[in-house]
Amino acid sequence: MRYFLDCEFDGFGGPLLSLALVPDDASEEFYAILEHERPYTDWVERHVVPYLGTVPQHLRADPQPAADVARELSRWLTPFEEVEIVADWPDDIAYFCKALLTGNGQMVTVPALTFRLMNLAGFSTARNSAVPHNALHDARALRDHVVNRGY
């Protein structure tokens, strides 16, 4: 399986706010919002937070603790033998990997994961997204761009 990844986070190096994985095909998508315990940066407050819940009804959920998101990711990914995860920004991969951690030296069970970082110079998920700065819609925009160009 190949999934396209996008994450939203609170400022450069700030906490992960939401994470989405979108498949090549029209099968099941993953979307989670993480709990956030401090005030948001001004830009994120204006451009990200209002759109966190702008996803299809079946994917809407309240913000969850990071450990719950890790367990949900594990449950969601474990049916696959291996998964390729495609991103267009290095931080997305870093945040995804960190989301798998449940404690000091502990992580959830996942299948074999391969990461592909694509340098898509001139392409912006936000400019091509139905809902800019929403992880699910940005991941869909990334998928559409990559699939339509035959990468």
Side-chain angles (χ1 to χ4, degrees):
M1 283 299 292
R2 179 166 76 159
Y3 283 91
F4 296 86
L5 169 67
D6 192 75
C7 297
E8 298 298 333
F9 38 93
D10 192 11
F12 183 74
L16 179 63
L17 300 177
S18 63
L19 179 147
L21 291 168
V22 174
D24 265 335
D25 59 19
S27 62
E28 189 176 1
E29 299 171 315
F30 180 90
Y31 181 71
I33 301 171
L34 288 85
E35 290 180 342
H36 190 287
E37 295 187 20
R38 65 182 180 90
Y40 298 104
T41 60
D42 291 340
W43 190 92
V44 169
E45 183 73 50
R46 289 190 316 274
H47 296 97
V48 176
V49 174
Y51 307 105
L52 287 171
T54 310
V55 297
Q57 184 64 39
H58 71 280
L59 292 174
R60 287 186 194 153
D62 291 332
Q64 302 173 60
D68 290 353
V69 171
R71 286 186 285 276
E72 192 175 327
L73 268 170
S74 175
R75 186 173 50 256
W76 195 76
L77 290 169
T78 52
F80 304 111
E81 215 170 286
E82 56 185 81
V83 176
E84 178 183 32
I85 297 175
V86 179
D88 67 341
W89 192 248
D91 283 336
D92 290 331
I93 293 170
Y95 278 103
F96 176 86
C97 290
K98 188 174 180 183
L100 301 175
L101 302 176
T102 56
N104 191 11
Q106 299 175 340
M107 67 175 270
V108 294
T109 301
V110 293
L113 299 175
T114 303
F115 295 94
R116 179 179 293 185
L117 177 61
M118 299 184 80
N119 183 353
L120 301 174
F123 174 75
S124 165
T125 54
R127 280 195 310 268
N128 291 279
S129 180
V131 181
H133 308 297
N134 173 282
L136 179 69
H137 294 283
D138 289 0
R140 287 174 174 175
L142 175 61
R143 179 215 36 219
D144 293 347
H145 179 77
V146 169
V147 169
N148 290 337
R149 280 154 185 77
Y151 293 122

